[in-house]
Every structure is written in structure tokens, then in C-alpha cells.
Amino acid sequence: MIQPLFIFSDWSVLILRIILGLVLIVHGWPKIKNLSANAQNFVAMGFKPAKFWGTIAAVVEFLGGLLLILGFLTQLVAFFVVIQFVVAILKVKIKQNFVGGYELDLLILGAALLLMTVGGGFYGLDDLFGFFIY
């Protein structure tokens, strides 16, 4: 281990939170914006009831992304992101190729797993309000 780099660990968690939040917002915005089209996509993927699961996915991505950027309820949000992306990979994406298929989903899953287990770090509302989930 390179001990001097540990001084940057809080900053790296912050950067990871912001990047993951932005990625989730970008992918969640079209779903939130058009919930009926999103529900049709969820029908095509075989989810029932599609409107319910599509709305849940849209909220987890869009609102979850915002909350991650703010560092608010980070571990709880990350838990829901982990569940969503495990389901997405196993039910939908695994049938596709790795490249151009589910590599981004795996990266999102890995980032969310890290935030779920280590928390949002400093520089977030969790730290400010003491909302660490143990």
C-alpha cells in the first residue's frame, strides 16, 4: 500500500459519489420524463407490473443520483442501486455481450457496492447531519 495516498481517500469517495450520481441522473432522466414509455420498455423486458417497476427504477436512478451527489442517505441509496443493477444484469443485460452490453452496469454495481459498504465519506450531508447507517 502507498500510505501517503490515503490522505486523498475522502476526496476519492466524494468524486466517486459525484460521478456515479451524474451517471444515474443521466440514465434516469429519460425514464422520469416519460414514465409511460419507460413502462412500455419494462413490459418488453418482461417486468410485471411494468409501470410499478419502471417507476421504481426511474426514481432510484434519478432521485438516487441526486442524493448521491449531495451525499445524503448514501448507503441506503447505494443499497437500492445495487439491487436494481443486480436485477438488471441478471434479468436483462447478461444475454448481451460484455462490451456494449453490461460492462457499464457492472461498473455502476461495483461503485454502488463500494459506497454501500464504506459510506459516502466526508463532504456530504450524511457527514454534516450524522446520518451514517451502521
Side-chain angles (χ1 to χ4, degrees), residues 57-71:
V59 168
V60 166
E61 289 181 20
F62 186 76
L63 182 60
L66 288 173
L67 292 174
L68 286 177
I69 289 171
L70 295 173

Side-chain angles (χ1 to χ4, degrees), residues 4-121:
L5 292 178
F6 288 157
I7 64 170
F8 299 110
S9 62
D10 290 326
W11 286 101
S12 59
V13 171
L14 170 67
I15 291 167
L16 179 66
R17 251 189 22 236
I18 292 170
I19 291 171
L20 180 58
L22 289 172
V23 168
L24 290 171
I25 288 169
V26 166
H27 287 270
W29 175 245
K31 294 177 178 94
I32 286 281
K33 192 169 70 170
N34 194 345
L35 288 174
S36 61
N38 187 45
Q40 291 173 349
N41 290 335
F42 273 71
V43 167
M45 291 184 281
F47 288 93
K48 294 178 185 175
K51 188 170 189 165
F52 173 77
W53 291 116
T55 302
I56 295 294
V59 168
V60 166
E61 289 181 20
F62 186 76
L63 182 60
L66 288 173
L67 292 174
L68 286 177
I69 289 171
L70 295 173
F72 188 65
L73 300 175
T74 303
Q75 289 181 296
L76 184 62
V77 169
F79 172 74
F80 287 117
V81 172
V82 165
I83 290 172
Q84 178 173 329
F85 279 84
V86 165
V87 171
I89 291 167
L90 294 178
K91 184 160 174 59
V92 178
K93 299 288 186 125
I94 200 76
K95 301 167 192 163
Q96 302 172 4
N97 291 327
F98 179 75
V99 176
Y102 59 93
E103 81 278 7
L104 177 62
D105 297 79
L106 278 176
L107 193 54
I108 292 169
L109 174 61
L113 274 169
L114 182 100
L115 292 175
M116 183 181 79
T117 56
V118 303

